[in-house]
Amino acid sequence: MANINKLLIANRGEIALRIIKTCKKLGIQTVAIFSDADADAPFVKMADESHHIGESQAKKSYLDLEKVIRVARENQVDAIHPGYGFLSENPCFAKRCEEEGIIFVGPEAKVIELMGSKIKARKVMKEAGVPVIPGWDGALDSVEQAIDVASRLGYPLMLKASAGGGGMGMQLVHNEQELTKVFTRTKQSAESYFGDGSLFLEKWIEGPRHIEVQIAADGEGNTVHLFERECSVQRRNQKVVEESLSCFLDEELREKLCQTAVLGAKKIGYSSVGTMEFIFDEDKNFYFLEMNTRLQVEHPVTEGITGVDLVELQIHLAENKPMPYKQDEIKAKGHAIECRVCAEDPETFMPSPGKIEKLLTPVHVRLDFAVTEGDMVSPFYDSMIGKVIVHEGDREKAIASMLDALEQFDIEGVKTNIPLLIQILEHKQFQDGEYTTHFLQNLK
């Protein structure tokens, strides 16, 4: 076991603030890094130390792993927390931390690399007995091979980048002509975005639900789940509203899903906090989609229903301490909902950077926000400026509480997606819990 006394946060915005909050509770010193665009950001002021890392473009600052390592080394930190996005699922970064004797708050590099390849992940999950979407488990070498495989699988199909993520690197194809048209372009895009042009094919699941399971494991293989999150409200494969528990599952199916997630995590020797993502078809069959080897944006809804601080648990496990919970000690109480507030046009989803001239926020709810009044919303990064989280005794009360919170916002200077969030929460299909990943595109 190794105690963490000083921790560098290799991230920015609301997740940096979230990590700082738990570190302060634990008495851990925090070191922030910041780009030119973030020089006056709240997380920079909140950390115990802050160090300039580079220009505003992410590749010249937050994505430059050697710069991050250098700051960590020069300031003698014990650990690095990668947050989500940026370098959080980069096995080379985790490996460099290992080489420098710095604790990486996450799983081992080899596990990140294994789960970072969707082709390898599919194979290992099948070996573990975890159901995967029917498809082709090998990298496609040519469009001719893709056409041959597709003819045997049957259309429609999803052409996917093995190294893809965050909704990127996917193309739905309905026939040979569409596959021929997009194959080379998708391969080139995957090579450009992810440095890996490997593609594979999966059957298209019509009208799926996207439900994920939060798991945690220690170095001795003690693995638990912290129930599921319903993440089917999405735009362009990006989550917008998340809730826990999912009203789509009964207790028997919930237990089966969560135990399957634990089985998959044990198979790969996972140690840390992580998420197993699944999709469900209309007959409630579920299939492994991918594993996120990091903290999720939507982790607060799990914290809401379980009372477990997931950042604290991450740090505890990174110190190589034993799992502090037995499965039967983790209870799900009530219902939690999270809405992602983005600085973007609610109609076109185009980013809306600028100065926040006015920011009035609701009270009596959890707000994980990256900005305050007078701050600038940068055009260089993701448009999400914060998250609203409510936790109530049941789903109906949680929806009402979230709507009340969203109505209390008054933001001037940038456009936000709050009108869209209200529209979602008020929609009968959402309130009845009868929605799929297609819900948002059919909303208007």
Side-chain angles (χ1 to χ4, degrees):
M1 293 188 291
N3 289 329
I4 295 172
N5 297 304
K6 191 174 185 180
L7 179 144
L8 182 144
I9 303 162
N11 218 296
R12 62 176 299 278
E14 71 88 13
I15 188 57
L17 284 167
R18 169 70 190 87
I19 296 164
I20 290 169
K21 180 180 178 181
T22 288
C23 285
K24 285 186 179 296
K25 180 175 72 172
L26 298 175
I28 297 172
Q29 280 191 296
T30 52
V31 178
I33 55 173
F34 64 92
S35 69
D36 290 346
D38 283 334
D40 297 316
F43 78 91
V44 176
K45 301 168 187 173
M46 190 68 68
D48 295 307
E49 298 177 26
S50 295
H51 300 275
H52 181 253
I53 195 73
E55 297 176 38
S56 299
Q57 294 88 345
K59 66 180 181 181
K60 296 182 178 180
S61 49
Y62 300 108
L63 285 173
D64 190 328
L65 68 87
E66 289 302 334
K67 283 184 178 179
V68 177
I69 291 291
R70 186 181 72 244
V71 172
R73 193 170 53 231
E74 289 175 351
N75 292 278
Q76 299 178 314
V77 304
D78 304 308
I80 294 179
H81 195 306
Y84 53 71
F86 292 134
L87 296 170
S88 63
E89 292 180 286
N90 184 320
C92 296
F93 184 51
K95 182 67 174 174
R96 286 290 290 113
C97 289
E98 292 171 14
E99 292 170 350
E100 294 289 340
I102 298 169
I103 296 170
F104 179 78
V105 183
E108 294 179 286
K110 62 182 181 182
V111 175
I112 298 174
E113 184 174 17
L114 176 62
M115 290 294 100
S117 165
K118 289 185 170 56
I119 291 174
K120 291 178 181 177
R122 278 176 57 87
K123 290 178 180 177
V124 75
M125 288 301 151
K126 283 177 73 173
E127 292 171 3
V130 175
V132 301
I133 303 169
W136 178 256
D137 292 335
L140 298 165
D141 297 322
S142 66
V143 66
E144 290 79 17
Q145 184 191 20
I147 291 168
D148 178 57
V149 170
S151 68
R152 284 181 272 145
L153 291 174
Y155 294 94
L157 294 162
M158 285 295 289
L159 180 66
K160 287 187 170 185
S162 179
M168 298 175 66
M170 302 191 298
Q171 286 286 339
L172 173 61
V173 293
H174 295 89
N175 50 53
E176 182 179 323
Q177 290 73 26
E178 288 186 10
L179 179 56
T180 302
K181 182 178 179 181
V182 303
F183 184 86
T184 301
R185 184 172 72 237
T186 305
K187 189 174 182 66
Q188 290 173 343
S189 294
E191 182 65 46
S192 174
Y193 280 117
F194 313 116
D196 181 356
S198 301
L199 304 179
F200 67 105
L201 284 164
E202 281 182 344
K203 285 290 290 183
W204 166 246
I205 304 295
E206 185 64 38
R209 304 279 293 223
H210 185 147
I211 301 175
E212 62 191 28
V213 179
Q214 178 70 63
I215 63 96
D218 65 18
E220 299 300 316
N222 298 307
T223 307
V224 298
H225 70 78
L226 294 93
F227 301 96
E228 83 282 356
R229 295 185 287 259
E230 171 70 70
C231 304
S232 297
V233 180
Q234 303 178 3
R235 61 159 177 83
R236 300 170 187 164
N237 299 302
Q238 291 275 2
K239 299 161 190 172
V240 179
V241 177
E242 302 97 354
E243 55 181 323
S244 186
L245 300 165
S246 171
C247 59
F248 185 68
L249 306 182
D250 58 29
E251 284 303 319
E252 183 179 354
L253 187 53
R254 172 170 296 116
E255 179 66 13
K256 183 179 179 182
L257 173 68
C258 291
Q259 290 304 323
T260 300
V262 168
L263 179 69
K266 284 187 173 182
K267 170 67 177 179
I268 60 173
Y270 196 82
S271 175
S272 187
V273 164
T275 300
M276 299 280 284
E277 303 206 1
F278 298 86
I279 60 171
F280 282 72
D281 64 22
E282 57 187 6
D283 296 320
K284 295 197 172 183
N285 299 306
F286 63 83
Y287 307 95
F288 172 78
L289 185 63
E290 64 181 357
M291 184 176 194
N292 287 304
T293 55
R294 54 170 169 77
L295 197 67
Q296 295 279 84
V297 176
E298 59 273 18
H299 75 275
V301 294
T302 297
E303 295 182 327
I305 64 163
T306 64
V308 175
D309 182 329
L310 288 175
V311 175
E312 182 176 350
L313 182 55
Q314 271 189 309
I315 292 170
H316 177 92
L317 295 171
E319 292 177 322
N320 203 28
K321 294 175 180 176
M323 173 62 63
Y325 305 102
K326 294 179 180 177
Q327 187 62 67
D328 61 6
E329 294 174 337
I330 303 171
K331 308 293 185 183
K333 297 178 181 179
H335 196 89
I337 300 176
E338 173 184 283
C339 286
R340 303 187 187 195
V341 178
C342 299
E344 61 185 27
D345 188 298
E347 297 282 339
T348 65
F349 302 133
M350 292 297 292
S352 177
K355 184 178 180 180
I356 299 178
E357 302 290 353
K358 183 179 182 182
L359 177 60
L360 294 180
T361 58
V363 294
H364 307 308
V365 297
R366 174 174 169 178
L367 296 172
D368 285 13
F369 260 62
V371 295
T372 57
E373 190 170 282
D375 289 341
M376 294 294 298
V377 177
S378 170
F380 293 101
Y381 314 113
D382 185 86
S383 63
M384 189 180 79
I385 57 173
K387 305 177 304 198
V388 189
I389 306 99
V390 300
H391 177 234
E392 298 289 350
D394 59 43
R395 186 170 187 266
E396 186 177 348
K397 290 177 182 176
I399 292 173
S401 180
M402 180 61 79
L403 280 169
D404 181 60
L406 293 172
E407 294 282 3
Q408 291 180 48
F409 274 99
D410 187 0
I411 303 176
E412 295 180 5
V414 298
K415 294 181 180 180
T416 75
N417 65 333
I418 289 176
L420 175 64
L421 296 172
I422 292 171
Q423 187 181 4
I424 291 168
L425 272 289
E426 288 180 337
H427 200 283
K428 185 178 185 301
Q429 211 174 330
F430 180 85
Q431 295 195 351
D432 291 344
E434 297 177 354
Y435 60 92
T436 71
T437 56
H438 296 169
F439 168 69
L440 202 51
Q441 67 192 53
N442 299 325
L443 190 60
K444 298 172 184 178

